[in-house]
Amino acid sequence: MTATSSDCLGMMQTQCPSLVELCLDYIVANLRHVESFQGFPELIGEEILNRWLASMSNQLQNLNQIQKFCQAYGSLVLRCLDLKNCRLFVDTFTISLFGQFQFIEELDISYCKLGDDHDMLTYISQLTRLSRLSLKDNYISDAGMMKWTISRRFYTEKFQNLICLDLSCNLRVSDRCVRYLIALKSIRTLNISNTSISPVGIKKLQDEANFYLWKPSSSDDRDCDFDNFTNTSGWISEWIEEKKASCQKKYKKVHEPKLIKSRLGECILKKSERTDENIRLGIKVSSSEVNGESNRCYRNKPNSEINEEINDQLLHLYS
C-alpha cells in the first residue's frame, strides 16, 4: 500500500520545523556570539531566552549570557524575586546569576540566615531600582546593616526607590543601626518587629526621621502585608521556581522557621509628612492624610500629648 502525495506532504509538514523555529534554534545555539538584543521584539526575546534556559539543563558556568537579555529588556526578565526560606538556592546562584539582575524592584530573602558576610548583601547594595526589601530573620547585625546600606547612604540620588524595608526577627539589629535607617530618606514603611532596637531607638526614628507607630487595624496598605511580601515575576519566573524546587529536594532538611522573640513585639513604623506650618502648630500629619484620608492618631494634637501617647505605645510594645 503506497502513500499518496497528500500524505507525504502532511508528514513533511509535521516533521520539518518552520523557518522561524530554525532561526530561533540557531540563535540559541550561538548565543555566545550575539552582542546585543537591542531592537529585538520583546516576544522574540522572551522565546529565545526560554529556549536557551531549557537547553542549559544544570549548567551554571554560562549563565552570564542572561546579562544580554537584561541589558535589552530590563525588568521584563525579572522584576520581583521571592526567595523566602531558600538558602541553598541563594548560595548556589548568588555569584553566577543574581549579579545579572540589576533591575529588580521587589526582593524577599526572609528566613535565609545569611549573616553579615554573605555575597547577597553586596548584591542588594547595588540594586538602584529596589523598592521593597525583606531581610526578615537573616542573622543580620548592625555591622551587616552598615555594609549593605553604605552605598545608599552616600549616593542618595541613585537610591531613591526603596520605600518598604522589613528587618523583623533580626535580634542583633540594635540602636546602633538607627543612624543608618535615618539616612535612608526614601523609606516610608519600616518593620523592626522582634529586633533589639530599644524605645530610645524608636523614639529617635520618630523624632529625626518622622516615623510614627502604625496600627494594623487602621489601614489595609499593601506595604504592610509582610506575610505575603512579593511573588516572583518576569520572563524567567518559571525557571527560577523549578530551580528552587530542585534545591529544596537536595536540601531535605527544610523546616518551618522557628523564631526567637525579643522583648520588642510587633513594631511597624510609617513615615509622616510634616511641613513647617504643621510643626509650628504641633500637628503630626501622616502620609495617608496627604492622600485625603484623616489621621486619627495625631491630628490637631499638641506635642506634649503626642509625646505622652508615643511613650505609652512604647511601654505597651515592651510590656
Side-chain angles (χ1 to χ4, degrees):
M1 186 175 182
T2 59
T4 63
S5 58
S6 59
D7 292 335
C8 293
L9 180 61
M11 292 176 62
M12 290 177 62
Q13 289 177 341
T14 57
Q15 293 177 1
C16 296
S18 66
L19 181 59
V20 174
E21 295 283 328
L22 290 173
C23 290
L24 292 177
D25 290 339
Y26 181 81
I27 295 174
V28 169
N30 296 275
L31 188 62
R32 63 188 181 279
H33 299 302
V34 177
E35 292 185 0
S36 173
F37 284 97
Q38 296 286 350
F40 273 63
E42 294 173 359
L43 187 63
I44 299 298
E46 181 180 5
E47 181 64 24
I48 293 173
L49 177 58
N50 288 329
R51 286 170 178 252
W52 177 73
L53 289 173
S55 69
M56 287 295 294
S57 183
N58 293 323
Q59 302 177 41
L60 302 180
Q61 63 272 20
N62 295 321
L63 285 177
N64 57 354
Q65 298 294 333
I66 291 181
Q67 186 176 7
K68 298 175 182 178
F69 296 93
C70 294
Q71 290 173 345
Y73 305 108
S75 59
L76 289 175
V77 178
L78 186 64
R79 191 181 76 85
C80 303
L81 184 56
D82 178 14
L83 299 178
K84 181 188 298 181
N85 200 19
C86 295
R87 174 61 187 268
L88 183 59
F89 181 89
V90 172
D91 289 345
T92 304
F93 291 98
T94 295
I95 297 177
S96 61
L97 182 63
F98 293 137
Q100 318 300 326
F101 304 121
Q102 297 298 317
F103 299 97
I104 288 181
E105 298 174 14
E106 299 183 4
L107 177 61
D108 184 357
I109 50 173
S110 56
Y111 305 110
C112 285
K113 310 293 192 296
L114 299 180
D116 292 335
D117 300 320
H118 200 281
D119 291 334
M120 194 67 173
L121 294 184
T122 303
Y123 165 66
I124 292 172
S125 68
Q126 301 169 357
L127 298 177
T128 57
R129 295 194 181 185
L130 193 63
S131 63
R132 290 168 51 83
L133 173 63
S134 176
L135 293 171
K136 182 176 183 178
D137 191 23
N138 266 294
Y139 292 159
I140 294 176
S141 70
D142 299 324
M145 287 294 299
M146 179 183 67
K147 178 179 179 179
W148 79 264
T149 62
I150 187 167
S151 57
R152 297 178 180 274
R153 289 183 280 118
F154 286 96
Y155 301 98
T156 55
E157 67 280 358
K158 291 178 58 179
F159 299 93
Q160 297 182 352
N161 294 315
L162 186 61
I163 60 174
C164 181
L165 176 61
D166 185 0
L167 293 175
S168 60
C169 304
N170 288 291
L171 296 179
R172 297 191 297 163
V173 169
S174 68
D175 289 352
R176 292 182 179 180
C177 82
V178 167
R179 57 178 176 170
Y180 309 140
L181 296 174
I182 292 174
L184 302 179
K185 305 292 186 182
S186 61
I187 292 181
R188 293 293 177 267
T189 304
L190 177 63
N191 188 356
I192 54 173
S193 305
N194 201 24
T195 63
S196 295
I197 296 178
S198 71
V200 175
I202 297 175
K203 190 66 165 60
K204 190 173 182 180
L205 285 167
Q206 292 174 324
D207 293 341
E208 298 186 23
N210 206 23
F211 282 103
Y212 67 92
L213 289 171
W214 180 80
K215 297 180 180 179
S217 59
S218 64
S219 171
D220 57 352
D221 193 344
R222 174 178 176 268
D223 285 342
C224 297
D225 186 8
F226 295 101
D227 294 328
N228 302 290
F229 198 80
T230 192
N231 294 309
T232 302
S233 65
W235 290 352
I236 66 170
S237 58
E238 292 185 6
W239 181 83
I240 286 180
E241 293 302 322
E242 290 176 3
K243 294 301 178 183
K244 283 168 58 177
S246 176
C247 288
Q248 294 281 5
K249 291 179 180 178
K250 292 180 181 179
Y251 186 64
K252 298 180 180 179
K253 297 180 180 180
V254 176
H255 305 291
E256 288 296 322
K258 295 181 179 179
L259 301 178
I260 302 175
K261 294 186 177 181
S262 68
R263 291 182 61 197
L264 177 62
E266 184 178 39
C267 183
I268 299 174
L269 303 177
K270 299 275 283 184
K271 182 166 287 188
S272 302
E273 299 293 339
R274 290 198 296 181
T275 64
D276 293 338
E277 181 65 13
N278 289 332
I279 294 173
R280 185 182 67 80
L281 296 174
I283 303 173
K284 193 165 186 178
V285 184
S286 71
S287 56
S288 61
E289 185 174 346
V290 175
N291 295 328
E293 301 177 8
S294 62
N295 178 15
R296 298 183 180 89
C297 296
Y298 298 111
R299 188 181 181 89
N300 297 326
K301 286 187 178 182
N303 284 332
S304 58
E305 291 187 20
I306 291 175
N307 291 334
E308 184 177 351
E309 183 173 341
I310 289 173
N311 291 333
D312 290 341
Q313 291 173 339
L314 294 177
L315 288 174
H316 176 71
L317 284 171
Y318 274 79
S319 61

